[in-house]
Amino acid sequence: MWRKAVYDYTYLSRALPPRLKERPFDLWRYRELLPVTQPTPELRLSEGGTPLIRALNLGMMLGLANIFMKDERQGPTSSFKDRQAALSISALKTVGVREVVLASTGNVAIAYSAYAARAGIKLWAFLTSLVPAAKMREVALYGTQVIKVTGSYDQAKQVAAEFARQRGIYLDAGARSIANIESMKTIAYEIAEQLGEVLNNSDNPVSSGQPRWQAPDWYIQAVSGGMGPLGVLKGFREMYEMGWIDKIPKIGVIQVEGCAPMVNAWKQGRETAIPVQSPRTNIATLATGDPGRTYTLLRNGMLEGSGGAFEAVSDEEAFRAIHFLAKMEGMSVEPAAAVACAGLIKLVRSGQIKPHEVVVMNISGHTLPVERAVVGDGWSRNVVVSEAIHAGAEEGLLAALSKITIDRFPRIAIVDDHPEARRLIRRILQSQGEYTLYEAASGREAIELAQREHPDLIILDLMMPEIDGFGVIEALQAQPETADIPIIVVTAKELTPAEKDRLRGHIQSLMQKGDFMSDDLLDEVRALLK
């Protein structure tokens, strides 16, 4: 049976805002809109209240000025599932439940384990054998009874349900639980409040006494079972009904291609999802083959007004997004969180997300050590310090340092008179490879740089003052030592046939600056550097 919590929105729309001014920014800030209105102080672990961070470099790469990251890694156990565990364990403690069974792909079990330990509730966690061992060990650390199921996540859920039935133990109901759904909507409330401050939402049409909050145009989240966006959508709908925001955002639901029952059903126009019997993905935390009715509820909610999209990305795209976020935004995330970033990029490139729109992406967590498959080989250098070296033996230390092997990374010169354009190209290259990068802000600087450093490749803008790109090409090719350097020309200008003829035979590639949203630039760079 599916149930839904309903509150007195007319009363709360007026009564709640004045109370918020005196409350800390955490999950319980909105407790009148939660099924547990009096949280037990000793159970709290500072859940909720996570930061909203503007993704400046990712936004620059994609041509969007307002991409924000809701950093759920900052929760007590480093994932957005802390919200679910905090509210659910609090509710169970209130009614006297002492033992709980759940099935999990990792993060739920870790979050519940922490809160169950604090509450003195015995927890049984049924984990598929595909869950990384590091996650299993963390679950066990809290004293949870770990049951490893050799099978899919859906099979683990079946085994857990039967175990709970036989022993008469409370079974966590997932998306069917009121507390679980209600916990997720606090993400929406925080986002609206934070965006209202960041974007200075002074023209939001709300009446006196109500908060001037702002909803994004898009909310993006990677999903396994879909509980997160289902709860977030409910939160935005409640705020809209209370007049606190002027729109309900479009929802971007992202899955991995090897386990995408929701995406398949959406693109086929189906009201229900056909379960995926054998998920094929290395991202085990998203390998829920049967989303059940959650998909139908999400689909209906989106079609009823908010809109949005279901999209799938490959494991490879997700792993590449891990590098994007780490190298461009300083955010280290696990693969499940990177799936949301890869989905965002895909929605921008397909034109579904427009350049002027405000987008919030859920960085759902990081509870997993970085695996070798993500960073590849050659990620470290070694220094062996001899036992003979003592404090102050500077010669020995210098000798050890001299033995560090430094690979010769490909050398690329970026030439553009606009600093923002140079920065964008630098960020794109840094996010997906190891390069030695040089910059020149004018044609004259570019010629001097090429003669001095002899780069392996030049990325050259055509439209520059004094010596333009055409002049740079002519000067470089007039000198034997620089004549063979490959050149990629990038320009925002639509070239005339005469200008194209002038370039023909003298450069290796011609690109428009808007093509940076695709992989074309990197593909050209890699091909020429081979």
Side-chain angles (χ1 to χ4, degrees):
M1 177 180 181
W2 286 73
R3 297 159 293 178
K4 183 172 75 170
V6 178
Y7 306 87
D8 187 345
Y9 300 116
T10 301
Y11 168 73
L12 289 175
S13 67
R14 301 187 305 271
L16 187 52
R19 303 175 190 175
L20 297 179
K21 297 177 182 179
E22 307 301 325
R23 293 180 180 176
F25 190 67
D26 61 16
L27 179 145
W28 301 103
R29 180 177 178 81
Y30 318 102
R31 54 181 172 267
E32 288 86 351
L33 288 157
L34 296 174
V36 178
T37 58
Q38 295 298 327
T40 306
E42 59 265 25
L43 296 185
R44 297 169 69 170
L45 289 168
S46 298
E47 54 276 355
T50 57
L52 188 71
I53 303 168
R54 192 189 294 267
L56 290 171
N57 297 312
L58 182 63
M60 180 174 60
M61 186 185 83
L62 296 176
L64 273 71
N66 290 309
I67 297 178
F68 294 89
M69 302 174 289
K70 185 62 170 163
D71 189 7
E72 291 292 290
R73 305 173 310 157
Q74 304 302 323
T77 72
S78 303
S79 90
F80 78 115
K81 294 298 185 179
D82 287 320
R83 297 174 185 270
Q84 176 183 338
L87 189 58
S88 294
I89 292 296
S90 183
L92 295 174
K93 181 72 172 179
T94 300
V95 298
V97 172
R98 297 183 178 180
E99 200 167 355
V100 175
V101 175
L102 61 78
S104 170
T105 56
N107 287 349
V108 169
I110 293 172
Y112 270 69
S113 293
Y115 283 91
R118 199 162 176 83
I121 293 176
K122 181 179 179 61
L123 184 64
W124 299 82
F126 287 72
L127 303 171
T128 168
S129 55
L130 298 176
V131 172
K135 283 186 183 283
M136 288 193 182
R137 288 193 294 269
E138 185 169 358
V139 173
L141 179 67
Y142 292 104
T144 295
Q145 294 295 309
V146 176
I147 312 297
K148 184 163 64 174
V149 179
T150 302
S152 69
Y153 173 54
D154 295 301
Q155 291 169 329
K157 287 193 293 185
Q158 294 171 1
V159 175
E162 181 58 24
F163 177 84
R165 187 192 66 79
Q166 289 181 7
R167 298 205 174 193
I169 304 174
Y170 176 84
L171 175 70
D172 181 78
R176 292 177 180 269
S177 164
I178 285 180
N180 290 349
I181 293 296
E182 296 299 290
S183 69
M184 293 302 165
K185 78 181 187 186
T186 59
I187 297 174
Y189 280 88
E190 290 180 13
I191 288 172
E193 191 168 357
Q194 289 168 315
L195 277 181
E197 295 179 1
V198 172
L199 300 180
N200 190 26
N201 191 22
S202 59
D203 59 349
N204 192 13
V206 293
S207 59
S208 177
Q210 291 177 315
R212 295 186 179 275
W213 294 359
Q214 180 164 328
D217 296 294
W218 281 86
Y219 172 80
I220 310 292
Q221 184 173 339
V223 303
S224 179
M227 181 196 308
L230 188 61
V232 168
L233 181 56
K234 184 176 188 290
F236 281 119
R237 285 189 176 279
E238 288 179 348
M239 285 184 282
Y240 183 76
E241 183 173 341
M242 290 187 288
W244 293 1
I245 57 176
D246 61 355
K247 63 188 171 189
I248 299 171
K250 295 183 280 290
I251 307 295
V253 179
I254 316 299
Q255 294 192 290
V256 283
E257 290 176 351
C259 189
M262 297 190 196
V263 178
N264 296 336
W266 173 265
K267 294 189 174 182
Q268 294 167 8
R270 299 178 59 88
E271 294 184 4
T272 58
I274 299 175
V276 174
Q277 299 299 331
S278 300
R280 297 181 178 180
T281 174
N282 292 316
I283 306 176
T285 52
L286 297 183
T288 299
D290 185 2
R293 196 182 169 196
T294 305
Y295 162 73
T296 303
L297 294 174
L298 262 176
R299 174 184 181 273
N300 292 344
M302 291 160 64
L303 292 177
E304 286 169 4
S306 65
F310 288 78
E311 190 55 82
V313 300
S314 66
D315 285 14
E316 181 184 358
E317 288 171 320
F319 291 144
R320 188 163 59 185
I322 291 177
H323 286 277
F324 275 152
L325 290 173
K327 293 181 178 180
M328 298 184 78
E329 300 296 346
M331 304 278 283
S332 175
V333 305
E334 66 182 16
V339 166
C341 180
L344 165 64
I345 293 170
K346 203 165 188 177
L347 291 173
V348 172
R349 288 176 176 172
S350 68
Q352 294 182 74
I353 295 179
K354 309 301 181 185
H356 67 276
E357 292 185 306
V358 177
V359 181
V360 173
M361 169 176 55
N362 188 327
I363 303 298
S364 51
H366 195 314
T367 61
L368 185 67
V370 177
E371 295 190 6
R372 181 175 177 177
V374 175
V375 296
D377 296 322
W379 54 272
S380 66
R381 304 287 188 275
N382 295 328
V383 175
V384 178
V385 181
S386 170
E387 294 180 0
I389 297 178
H390 302 290
E394 185 175 348
E395 296 81 3
L397 181 58
L398 292 175
L401 289 174
S402 69
K403 295 180 181 179
I404 299 177
T405 57
I406 303 296
D407 293 335
R408 183 187 180 277
F409 297 128
R411 299 147 60 88
I412 301 176
I414 305 168
V415 183
D416 199 303
D417 59 323
H418 292 95
E420 298 82 5
R422 297 197 306 273
R423 181 179 172 214
L424 171 58
I425 297 172
R426 171 180 283 274
R427 288 293 189 177
I428 292 173
L429 295 173
Q430 287 176 330
S431 71
Q432 297 191 74
E434 296 287 354
Y435 304 105
T436 300
L437 302 177
Y438 305 94
E439 294 185 21
S442 69
R444 190 177 305 280
E445 286 183 24
I447 296 168
E448 294 172 355
L449 173 62
Q451 292 172 340
R452 181 177 68 253
E453 301 294 346
H454 300 284
D456 301 301
L457 175 67
I458 295 174
I459 299 176
L460 176 67
D461 181 33
L462 280 183
M463 302 299 112
M464 293 183 293
E466 297 186 48
I467 303 176
D468 61 12
F470 294 103
V472 172
I473 294 170
E474 292 171 357
L476 295 180
Q477 295 188 346
Q479 300 295 325
E481 63 271 23
T482 58
D484 294 330
I485 299 176
I487 297 173
I488 296 176
V489 163
V490 293
T491 180
K493 177 178 180 285
E494 187 66 34
L495 299 185
T496 66
E499 289 172 328
K500 290 181 180 179
D501 286 341
R502 190 177 174 187
L503 291 174
R504 191 169 289 115
H506 299 288
I507 65 171
Q508 278 62 46
S509 182
L510 173 64
M511 300 186 65
Q512 294 293 123
K513 288 189 175 180
D515 291 339
F516 294 163
M517 287 173 49
S518 70
D519 290 330
D520 291 348
L521 175 62
L522 282 163
D523 290 343
E524 288 289 340
V525 168
R526 289 169 179 150
L528 290 172
L529 290 176
K530 283 182 179 179

